[in-house]
Amino acid sequence: ASYCNQPIAIGKAETPMFVLNYLAVPATEFDRLAADDDQVDAVHELLESAEYPTTDIDKAWGPLSMVVGESPIMGAIAGTQEWDEEVTANPPALVAEQAAALAAADGAQLAAAANELDSDTPPEYVADAVAELTRFYQAAANRGDAIIIVVN
Protein backbone atom coordinates (compact mmCIF):
# COMPACT_ATOMS: atom_id res chain seq x y z
CA ALA A 1 0.00 0.00 0.00
CA SER A 2 1.27 3.42 -0.87
CA TYR A 3 1.14 6.01 1.89
CA CYS A 4 0.66 9.39 0.33
CA ASN A 5 -1.77 12.09 1.30
CA GLN A 6 -3.19 12.59 -2.17
CA PRO A 7 -6.69 11.40 -2.96
CA ILE A 8 -7.10 8.43 -5.23
CA ALA A 9 -8.37 9.38 -8.68
CA ILE A 10 -11.81 7.85 -9.07
CA GLY A 11 -12.82 9.26 -12.41
CA LYS A 12 -15.24 12.00 -13.31
CA ALA A 13 -18.38 9.98 -14.02
CA GLU A 14 -21.39 12.32 -13.99
CA THR A 15 -23.66 9.60 -12.58
CA PRO A 16 -21.60 6.91 -10.90
CA MET A 17 -22.82 3.36 -11.20
CA PHE A 18 -21.66 2.31 -7.76
CA VAL A 19 -21.91 3.28 -4.12
CA LEU A 20 -18.93 3.91 -1.84
CA ASN A 21 -19.24 2.34 1.62
CA TYR A 22 -17.29 3.83 4.50
CA LEU A 23 -16.04 1.61 7.34
CA ALA A 24 -14.50 3.12 10.49
CA VAL A 25 -11.99 0.82 12.19
CA PRO A 26 -9.79 1.29 15.27
CA ALA A 27 -6.14 2.14 14.58
CA THR A 28 -4.98 -1.32 15.72
CA GLU A 29 -7.42 -3.00 13.31
CA PHE A 30 -6.29 -0.66 10.53
CA ASP A 31 -2.64 -1.61 11.13
CA ARG A 32 -3.56 -5.30 11.08
CA LEU A 33 -5.51 -4.91 7.84
CA ALA A 34 -2.76 -2.84 6.20
CA ALA A 35 -0.31 -5.71 6.81
CA ASP A 36 -2.75 -8.49 5.79
CA ASP A 37 -2.06 -10.22 2.47
CA ASP A 38 -5.79 -10.86 2.16
CA GLN A 39 -6.78 -7.38 3.28
CA VAL A 40 -9.51 -6.95 0.67
CA ASP A 41 -11.30 -10.14 1.75
CA ALA A 42 -10.80 -9.15 5.40
CA VAL A 43 -12.28 -5.70 4.74
CA HIS A 44 -15.33 -7.19 3.01
CA GLU A 45 -15.84 -9.57 5.95
CA LEU A 46 -15.64 -6.67 8.41
CA LEU A 47 -18.07 -4.62 6.35
CA GLU A 48 -20.57 -7.48 6.31
CA SER A 49 -20.07 -8.27 10.01
CA ALA A 50 -21.36 -4.84 11.11
CA GLU A 51 -18.77 -5.00 13.90
CA TYR A 52 -17.64 -1.42 13.27
CA PRO A 53 -19.54 1.73 12.21
CA THR A 54 -20.39 2.06 8.52
CA THR A 55 -22.14 4.56 6.29
CA ASP A 56 -22.57 5.44 2.64
CA ILE A 57 -23.64 8.51 0.73
CA ASP A 58 -25.33 6.57 -2.06
CA LYS A 59 -24.07 7.93 -5.39
CA ALA A 60 -23.70 11.53 -4.17
CA TRP A 61 -19.92 11.06 -4.07
CA GLY A 62 -19.91 11.52 -7.87
CA PRO A 63 -21.25 15.07 -8.08
CA LEU A 64 -19.55 16.00 -4.81
CA SER A 65 -16.15 14.87 -6.10
CA MET A 66 -16.54 17.15 -9.12
CA VAL A 67 -16.77 20.28 -6.96
CA VAL A 68 -14.28 19.72 -4.11
CA GLY A 69 -11.10 19.68 -6.20
CA GLU A 70 -7.81 18.40 -4.78
CA SER A 71 -8.65 18.91 -1.13
CA PRO A 72 -8.76 16.87 2.06
CA ILE A 73 -12.47 16.44 1.29
CA MET A 74 -11.61 14.59 -1.92
CA GLY A 75 -9.41 12.28 0.16
CA ALA A 76 -12.33 11.77 2.56
CA ILE A 77 -14.59 10.81 -0.34
CA ALA A 78 -12.22 8.57 -2.28
CA GLY A 79 -9.45 7.55 0.12
CA THR A 80 -5.72 8.26 -0.01
CA GLN A 81 -4.22 4.77 0.15
CA GLU A 82 -5.14 2.36 -2.62
CA TRP A 83 -5.27 -1.21 -1.33
CA ASP A 84 -7.07 -2.58 -4.36
CA GLU A 85 -9.21 -1.22 -7.19
CA GLU A 86 -12.24 -1.59 -4.89
CA VAL A 87 -10.71 -0.67 -1.51
CA THR A 88 -9.00 2.54 -0.39
CA ALA A 89 -8.19 3.83 3.06
CA ASN A 90 -7.45 6.86 5.20
CA PRO A 91 -5.21 6.33 8.25
CA PRO A 92 -6.24 7.84 11.61
CA ALA A 93 -4.00 10.93 11.33
CA LEU A 94 -5.60 11.86 8.01
CA VAL A 95 -9.14 11.15 9.25
CA ALA A 96 -8.77 13.95 11.80
CA GLU A 97 -7.58 16.38 9.09
CA GLN A 98 -10.37 15.29 6.75
CA ALA A 99 -12.99 15.62 9.50
CA ALA A 100 -11.86 19.21 10.12
CA ALA A 101 -12.03 20.01 6.38
CA LEU A 102 -15.52 18.54 6.13
CA ALA A 103 -16.66 20.47 9.22
CA ALA A 104 -15.37 23.71 7.68
CA ALA A 105 -17.03 23.04 4.32
CA ASP A 106 -20.24 24.76 3.32
CA GLY A 107 -22.47 21.83 2.33
CA ALA A 108 -25.08 24.10 0.76
CA GLN A 109 -22.45 25.86 -1.35
CA LEU A 110 -20.97 22.53 -2.52
CA ALA A 111 -24.48 21.26 -3.29
CA ALA A 112 -25.30 24.37 -5.32
CA ALA A 113 -22.03 24.00 -7.28
CA ALA A 114 -22.81 20.33 -8.01
CA ASN A 115 -26.31 21.29 -9.16
CA GLU A 116 -24.83 23.92 -11.51
CA LEU A 117 -22.66 21.23 -13.11
CA ASP A 118 -25.53 18.77 -13.41
CA SER A 119 -29.06 20.09 -12.95
CA ASP A 120 -30.31 16.53 -12.40
CA THR A 121 -28.46 16.50 -9.07
CA PRO A 122 -30.80 17.79 -6.35
CA PRO A 123 -28.88 20.17 -4.05
CA GLU A 124 -30.28 18.53 -0.90
CA TYR A 125 -28.89 15.15 -2.07
CA VAL A 126 -25.33 16.51 -2.04
CA ALA A 127 -25.87 18.65 1.08
CA ASP A 128 -27.14 15.57 2.95
CA ALA A 129 -24.08 13.62 1.77
CA VAL A 130 -21.72 16.32 3.08
CA ALA A 131 -23.57 16.30 6.42
CA GLU A 132 -23.35 12.50 6.67
CA LEU A 133 -19.65 12.37 5.75
CA THR A 134 -18.96 15.15 8.26
CA ARG A 135 -20.80 13.29 11.04
CA PHE A 136 -19.11 9.97 10.21
CA TYR A 137 -15.59 11.40 9.89
CA GLN A 138 -15.95 13.50 13.07
CA ALA A 139 -17.08 10.47 15.08
CA ALA A 140 -14.21 8.39 13.65
CA ALA A 141 -11.69 11.17 14.39
CA ASN A 142 -12.99 11.42 17.97
CA ARG A 143 -12.33 7.69 18.42
CA GLY A 144 -8.94 7.83 16.65
CA ASP A 145 -10.24 5.49 13.92
CA ALA A 146 -9.12 4.98 10.36
CA ILE A 147 -11.67 4.87 7.54
CA ILE A 148 -11.72 2.26 4.80
CA ILE A 149 -13.72 2.94 1.64
CA VAL A 150 -15.18 0.05 -0.31
CA VAL A 151 -16.71 0.22 -3.79
CA ASN A 152 -20.02 -1.60 -3.83
Side-chain angles (χ1 to χ4, degrees):
S2 65
Y3 292 92
C4 70
N5 294 340
Q6 294 303 310
I8 303 300
I10 55 174
K12 296 286 184 188
E14 302 258 331
T15 306
M17 300 303 293
F18 51 87
V19 172
L20 298 179
N21 291 289
Y22 299 83
L23 170 68
V25 298
T28 52
E29 184 72 20
F30 175 78
D31 292 342
R32 185 189 69 74
L33 288 167
D36 191 333
D37 289 338
D38 294 321
Q39 64 190 189
V40 174
D41 290 337
V43 165
H44 283 283
E45 287 171 17
L46 274 180
L47 192 58
E48 291 167 16
S49 77
E51 185 176 344
Y52 298 117
T54 62
T55 195
D56 72 76
I57 54 171
D58 193 49
K59 297 177 182 172
W61 67 266
L64 184 56
S65 68
M66 291 189 291
V67 296
V68 297
E70 296 295 321
S71 70
I73 296 173
M74 189 64 207
I77 296 167
T80 57
Q81 298 178 7
E82 187 168 0
W83 288 3
D84 171 88
E85 61 188 23
E86 295 183 356
V87 178
T88 59
N90 290 315
L94 273 183
V95 168
E97 176 185 321
Q98 292 161 337
L102 282 161
D106 182 335
Q109 184 179 9
L110 291 172
N115 181 255
E116 281 180 33
L117 287 176
D118 179 1
S119 61
D120 291 338
T121 302
E124 59 277 3
Y125 182 62
V126 175
D128 289 350
V130 173
E132 176 56 18
L133 275 183
T134 302
R135 180 202 65 77
F136 191 74
Y137 268 80
Q138 193 60 61
N142 290 345
R143 293 187 303 267
D145 287 356
I147 293 182
I148 299 172
I149 301 150
V150 182
V151 173
N152 204 351

